[in-house]
Amino acid sequence: MPFKIDITQIQKAALRSIPLTFRLTSLPHESHALLDRILEAYLVELGQERILEPLSYCLKELIMNAQKAHVKRLYFEEKGLDILNEEDYEKGMPDFRRESAERLEHWLELLKEKSLVIGVTFHTTAGSLTIAVRNRTELTPREQTRIFDR
């Protein structure tokens, strides 16, 4: 999110119950403070600023998970593996974590090139805040099972 924000516009969106969506391909560390300012503006409007820190942590975790899902698909594609095929999945996963960390810049560049976007939507309604983090990556059956098990 390498851009400046107008807090007054965010406050207006919160007051008027207008959904506000930010689109990003990744969440670089330098954007964390900006994301916190946006979240804080919403929470102040709702009188809930005391939950900024834990909610900020959860939001960043969700964004990073969405980014990781995109990177995983790119990784499997680059390796010529089908993420939906159990055998290919077993073959690809052992090195995924290491390679995704070691070649992070490569993956971040590919995310931009392929326009793999994560949408973060803030929306206030009736005194509550809904935050949605979405990507266009469909969960594999194995990923769904893992999520439900947790």
Side-chain angles (χ1 to χ4, degrees):
M1 292 193 293
F3 56 85
K4 294 184 180 185
I5 58 168
D6 182 349
I7 292 296
T8 58
Q9 293 300 316
I10 292 169
Q11 291 166 331
K12 285 178 188 176
L15 283 169
R16 295 179 180 153
S17 189
I18 300 168
L20 187 59
T21 300
F22 296 90
R23 296 187 194 325
L24 47 133
T25 56
S26 64
L27 184 63
H29 188 72
E30 55 273 9
S31 295
H32 287 202
L34 181 60
L35 187 63
D36 284 344
R37 287 187 58 218
I38 294 166
L39 182 57
E40 183 178 28
Y42 275 93
L43 293 175
V44 166
E45 288 302 317
L46 297 168
Q48 296 292 326
E49 53 272 23
R50 70 185 185 289
I51 64 170
L52 173 62
E53 192 174 320
L55 191 55
S56 170
Y57 175 83
C58 292
L59 178 57
K60 290 170 190 159
E61 190 71 21
L62 288 171
I63 294 169
M64 294 307 293
N65 285 344
Q67 175 184 315
K68 187 175 173 182
H70 280 153
V71 169
K72 187 190 286 187
R73 270 74 186 163
L74 292 172
Y75 171 81
F76 273 76
E77 185 181 298
E78 191 172 89
K79 297 294 179 188
L81 300 171
D82 178 1
I83 197 165
L84 296 173
N85 177 293
E86 274 297 313
E87 195 175 298
D88 281 359
Y89 192 87
E90 290 294 325
K91 196 183 301 180
M93 282 309 293
D95 293 330
F96 168 68
R97 283 181 187 81
R98 180 185 50 77
E99 274 199 56
S100 62
E102 286 176 0
R103 300 176 60 209
L104 183 60
E105 290 304 315
H106 166 73
W107 302 116
L108 294 179
E109 201 53 47
L110 265 180
L111 290 172
K112 285 180 193 170
E113 278 178 31
K114 296 195 178 251
S115 299
L116 291 173
V117 175
I118 300 161
V120 181
T121 302
F122 298 86
H123 188 203
T124 55
T125 51
S128 66
L129 173 62
T130 301
I131 304 171
V133 177
R134 293 189 173 105
N135 66 15
R136 290 194 171 158
T137 301
E138 189 175 330
L139 290 171
T140 66
R142 181 176 235 171
E143 290 168 333
Q144 283 180 335
T145 301
R146 243 183 118 204
I147 290 169
F148 289 129
D149 287 348
R150 288 182 176 189

